[in-house]
Amino acid sequence: MTVIAVLGAGKIGEALLSGLLHGGHRPEDLLFTERYPARAAELTERYRVRGVEVEEAAKQADVLVVAVKPQDIDPVLAELAPLLGPDSLVVSLCAGLPTALYEGRLAEGVPVVRVMPNTPMLVGEAMSAISAGKYATQEHLALVKDLLTHVGQVVEVPEGQQDAVTALSGSGPAYFFYLVEAMIDAGILLGLPRTLAGQLIIQSAVGAAKMLAESDEHPVLLREAVTSPAGTTINAIRELEKHGVRAALLAAIEAARDRSVDLGKAHEG
């Protein structure tokens, strides 16, 4: 079996380890790196996967999944540079970091695949977008796609679209959580207990998401089906439009895209 090392066992890194194990990968074919010894011991006990140093991971693994924070990438690449060759595959889960960054720091010919996942990976419902670097082949993409299907759905996009993907689906769950938070507060304002308001809104969100996923209808048509003439919903929609919620959301996603671009530029040169 292919040996896979996850560099950085935070929430996303742990979720990937868990998904790979549930997908049939053996613990002995997985490795991870983690800077905090207590956290490393906890993960080894939980998953029976060995925690190692970056150097050992680079020497033993066929695939290295880089799941550190973007601001921590420089020392990781410095450690990897003398250790990797074209037979390794680097998979970047770091928001905003282009494949060219890795290709410029690592040896000539090291294949890199850029991935933008999101936090529903923690419950096996991630949306991940993958893009090939200069040296990555269709076989590399197929391997990465196979790995990520254990934790959700996967699409392939041109790398030029990755900053937009980061803003839309990478950060997307936060927008939904923000909206649910606001709606729960509204329920409290209207006199409902917090627990009941949360139950009502969360199940409404789950049901709406399932309708979106399973229906062939456009979201506009699904919304219109709830919006009867002179009813409660159209009054609510009027207020949302009056307060510029749609425009604010567009601006917010553009701002997230711009930040993703900035993260990549911060490591240029």
Side-chain angles (χ1 to χ4, degrees):
M1 297 251 326
T2 301
V3 177
I4 302 163
V6 177
L7 309 186
K11 288 186 177 180
I12 290 293
E14 180 183 355
L16 182 57
L17 283 175
S18 177
L20 291 173
L21 289 167
H22 282 101
H25 288 262
R26 302 180 305 173
E28 55 266 37
D29 295 321
L30 300 174
L31 303 167
F32 71 89
T33 69
E34 170 56 47
R35 69 170 72 178
Y36 300 107
R39 168 73 172 165
E42 174 191 331
L43 292 175
T44 296
E45 182 178 357
R46 184 178 302 159
Y47 298 111
R48 296 184 297 114
V49 174
R50 274 198 308 135
V52 299
E53 298 298 323
V54 171
E55 181 177 357
E56 186 176 351
K59 290 178 177 178
Q60 294 194 25
D62 306 295
V63 179
L64 293 106
V65 180
V66 183
V68 301
K69 294 178 180 179
Q71 57 266 34
D72 296 331
I73 192 61
D74 292 332
V76 173
L77 291 180
E79 283 192 80
L80 292 176
L83 303 170
L84 302 184
D87 291 337
S88 301
L89 171 61
V90 174
V91 180
S92 172
L93 271 58
C94 301
L97 302 187
T99 57
L101 169 68
Y102 293 83
E103 292 159 355
R105 306 279 184 90
L106 301 177
E108 181 80 14
V110 174
V112 181
V113 174
R114 179 176 175 179
V115 180
M116 186 65 247
N118 57 19
T119 55
M121 182 181 285
L122 297 169
V123 292
E125 293 291 348
M127 184 68 253
S128 299
I130 65 175
S131 303
K134 181 164 57 172
Y135 304 114
T137 66
Q138 285 301 313
E139 288 74 18
H140 293 127
L141 285 174
L143 173 58
V144 174
K145 189 174 293 187
D146 180 65
L147 296 179
L148 293 171
T149 53
H150 295 305
V151 290
Q153 297 188 32
V154 188
V155 294
E156 183 180 343
V157 301
E159 188 170 6
Q161 295 179 357
Q162 279 283 7
D163 291 315
V165 168
T166 300
L168 196 63
S169 66
S171 299
Y175 312 146
F176 289 105
F177 298 147
Y178 184 86
L179 181 60
V180 167
E181 177 190 357
M183 293 175 74
I184 290 173
D185 286 345
I188 296 168
L189 179 66
L190 297 177
L192 298 176
R194 178 177 292 277
T195 300
L196 175 59
Q199 183 181 359
L200 292 169
I201 294 305
I202 291 169
Q203 181 54 37
S204 296
V206 170
K210 190 170 184 179
M211 289 179 70
L212 284 166
E214 296 182 0
S215 172
D216 292 330
E217 294 187 324
H218 192 278
V220 169
L221 296 178
L222 294 175
R223 178 182 60 76
E224 287 180 347
V226 191
T227 312
S228 55
T232 57
T233 306
I234 190 60
N235 275 274
I237 296 295
R238 180 187 63 183
E239 290 300 313
L240 291 173
E241 295 292 356
K242 185 189 299 183
H243 288 83
V245 172
R246 187 188 302 265
L249 189 57
L250 292 172
I253 293 172
E254 281 189 317
R257 186 273 318 275
D258 293 345
R259 177 56 180 156
S260 179
V261 172
D262 289 342
L263 285 171
K265 290 180 177 179
H267 295 273
E268 288 180 354

